């Protein structure tokens, strides 16, 4: 599917730009075209994990519980 590599590339660029929310939408859209695409599944999961880690880090910073 031709659009899948474009959505993957654009989503990765968005991750580098710090917009993981929009990147996840691109990856999800790509999976609609190619549900078996392992690269899209991997980067989508990594984007989700990255957001979770960022949220946890922000919570620790706000609570002054960082070392």
């Amino acid at each position: 599917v031709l659009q899948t590599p474009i959505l993957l590339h654009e989503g990765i660029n968005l991750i580098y730009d710090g917009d993981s929310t929009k990147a996840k939408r691109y990856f999800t859209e790509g999976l609609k075209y190619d549900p078996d695409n392992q690269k899209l599944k991997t980067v989508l999961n990594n984007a989700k994990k990255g957001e979770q880690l960022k949220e946890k880090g922000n919570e620790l910073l706000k609570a002054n519980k960082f070392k």
Side-chain angles (χ1 to χ4, degrees), residues 5-20 22-23 26-27:
I6 295 168
L7 291 168
L8 176 64
H9 180 75
E10 290 298 319
I12 291 171
N13 285 339
L14 288 165
I15 292 285
Y16 284 122
D17 287 343
D19 194 350
S20 59
K22 193 171 181 181
Y26 275 64
F27 301 144

Side-chain angles (χ1 to χ4, degrees), residues 51-67:
E51 279 188 342
Q52 291 170 349
L53 289 171
K54 182 178 176 181
E55 288 174 16
K56 186 174 181 177
N58 286 338
E59 289 172 10
L60 292 172
L61 283 172
K62 286 179 184 176
N64 287 327
K65 293 185 177 180
F66 57 93
K67 295 179 181 182

Side-chain angles (χ1 to χ4, degrees), residues 2-48:
L2 186 59
Q3 287 193 351
T4 303
I6 295 168
L7 291 168
L8 176 64
H9 180 75
E10 290 298 319
I12 291 171
N13 285 339
L14 288 165
I15 292 285
Y16 284 122
D17 287 343
D19 194 350
S20 59
T21 302
K22 193 171 181 181
K24 288 190 309 183
R25 282 185 278 186
Y26 275 64
F27 301 144
T28 302
E29 185 68 23
L31 286 169
K32 289 179 186 175
Y33 291 106
D34 186 4
D36 297 324
N37 188 303
Q38 194 58 44
K39 287 182 182 178
L40 282 169
K41 289 179 183 180
T42 299
V43 294
L44 178 58
N45 287 333
N46 287 343
K48 289 178 182 179

